[in-house]
Amino acid sequence: VLTRKDRSGAYVHDEWSRRDAARNPNATKAHLDAAVSDPSEMVRSYAAENPNLNSTHLHKLLRDEDMSVSSRAASHEKLTDAHISQAIDHHFNRGYNSKYTLVNLGYNRNIKPKHIDRLLDHPDAENGRAAIRNNNARAANITKGLSHPSKLLRKDAISNPNANSAHIRKALSDDDEKVRLAAIEHKNFGPEHVRLALHPSQPLSIRTRAARHSSATPTQISSALKDRHVGVRMAAMENPSATSEHIHAAIKDGDDFVRQAALYNPNTTREHIEAAANGHPDHY
């Protein structure tokens, strides 16, 4: 691209104009051949986003020595199985200069379970975290992620929408409380998991979340109302599935806060309120 003249009057190549040309969606193969070999890393990095890149261009950009170039190429929507496999092989042991390239490969929507498995083995957990968040992660990937030394990666693993019932059970016994909390928030968390989360050995935060969870059964709410901690019993009364019998039990609780929580439950009736006010809950 010849866009301006130097002091002698000769045209010179303008780096910023080459950058704009490199990212132009109308760029031809000839334009992109030049852009991906441009001496400016800025031009090459913008070329890495061009939708018209072919397989050869992508292979070249993924091996670029400048991380800003290879990391942008790692996000390209045209990456194939071969591109991703070769890029992981190339960057796996190259240290910080490949950090964001591997992370972006992990996020790429074309990544396969075998690539995710490989990134989970990388010594830098950030690469595995990106991979295990990918919607293409499968059961075996998530199982592997839940045994990773990094608690942050284990939390990401159980937060993956593809986590199944067995994964949630495993996460509920994790050493880290935040991993357990992430398990409770999963869309597949159900009654069988509520039972595990209400166990007396669970931390208070876990039992509390389980007591108010929408999947809790009447029997499990009754169990929560017998918990040793007032916070769990209050949480049971915040559950919209609490029945008249649960409310009846709660307004007899020895703690004022539990009795008050019972009166705010959406299923509380006038009879409950009158019984609590009269101090004779057995008579309504």
Side-chain angles (χ1 to χ4, degrees), residues 30-244:
H31 297 144
L32 293 172
D33 286 344
V36 301
S37 298
D38 196 280
S40 166
E41 64 272 10
M42 179 179 70
V43 174
R44 300 197 306 276
S45 67
Y46 276 89
E49 297 180 342
N50 197 296
N52 298 328
L53 292 173
N54 63 30
S55 182
T56 301
H57 296 142
L58 288 168
H59 275 300
K60 181 178 180 62
L61 291 167
L62 285 167
R63 295 175 67 88
D64 198 284
E65 291 301 314
D66 190 278
M67 184 169 61
S68 68
V69 179
S70 61
S71 63
R72 287 196 180 194
S75 297
H76 202 279
E77 62 181 10
K78 285 186 177 179
L79 292 193
T80 64
D81 186 316
H83 289 131
I84 297 171
S85 293
Q86 292 177 25
I88 291 175
D89 287 342
H90 179 75
H91 290 280
F92 198 84
N93 295 312
R94 294 174 64 86
Y96 181 79
N97 286 337
S98 291
K99 179 180 179 69
Y100 294 106
T101 301
L102 290 173
V103 166
N104 285 348
L105 286 171
Y107 282 126
N108 194 290
R109 68 181 184 180
N110 296 324
I111 198 170
K112 300 290 192 296
K114 65 178 181 179
H115 303 130
I116 295 172
D117 188 73
R118 183 85 190 282
L119 290 174
L120 286 172
D121 289 331
H122 196 278
D124 186 343
E126 287 301 309
N127 298 312
R129 290 188 68 191
I132 202 61
R133 292 172 185 168
N134 198 297
N135 285 339
N136 292 334
R138 293 297 175 258
N141 299 132
I142 296 171
T143 297
K144 183 172 182 175
L146 287 172
S147 297
H148 197 277
S150 167
K151 61 185 179 183
L152 293 176
L153 193 149
R154 299 196 305 272
K155 181 176 181 290
D156 289 331
I158 196 56
S159 297
N160 190 296
N162 296 326
N164 60 33
S165 181
H167 295 135
I168 295 172
R169 289 197 301 272
K170 179 175 176 61
L172 285 172
S173 64
D174 195 275
D175 291 339
D176 188 77
E177 192 170 332
K178 290 183 179 178
V179 176
R180 300 188 195 197
L181 287 170
I184 292 180
E185 293 171 0
H186 199 278
K187 64 182 178 67
N188 291 329
F189 187 89
E192 67 167 304
H193 307 116
V194 174
R195 178 180 59 81
L196 297 172
L198 284 175
H199 193 274
S201 63
Q202 291 282 8
L204 174 62
S205 64
I206 304 301
R207 303 198 316 274
T208 301
R209 294 285 186 90
R212 66 166 64 96
H213 199 276
S214 60
S215 294
T217 66
T219 299
Q220 290 165 343
I221 296 174
S222 294
S223 176
L225 285 171
K226 298 174 184 176
D227 193 276
R228 65 185 182 274
H229 198 282
V230 61
V232 180
R233 303 198 302 274
M234 288 176 62
M237 277 297 93
E238 293 169 4
N239 195 314
S241 297
T243 66
S244 178

Side-chain angles (χ1 to χ4, degrees), residues 271-283:
E271 287 76 14
H272 292 128
I273 296 171
E274 290 175 353
N278 294 332
H280 299 294
D282 289 329
H283 296 164

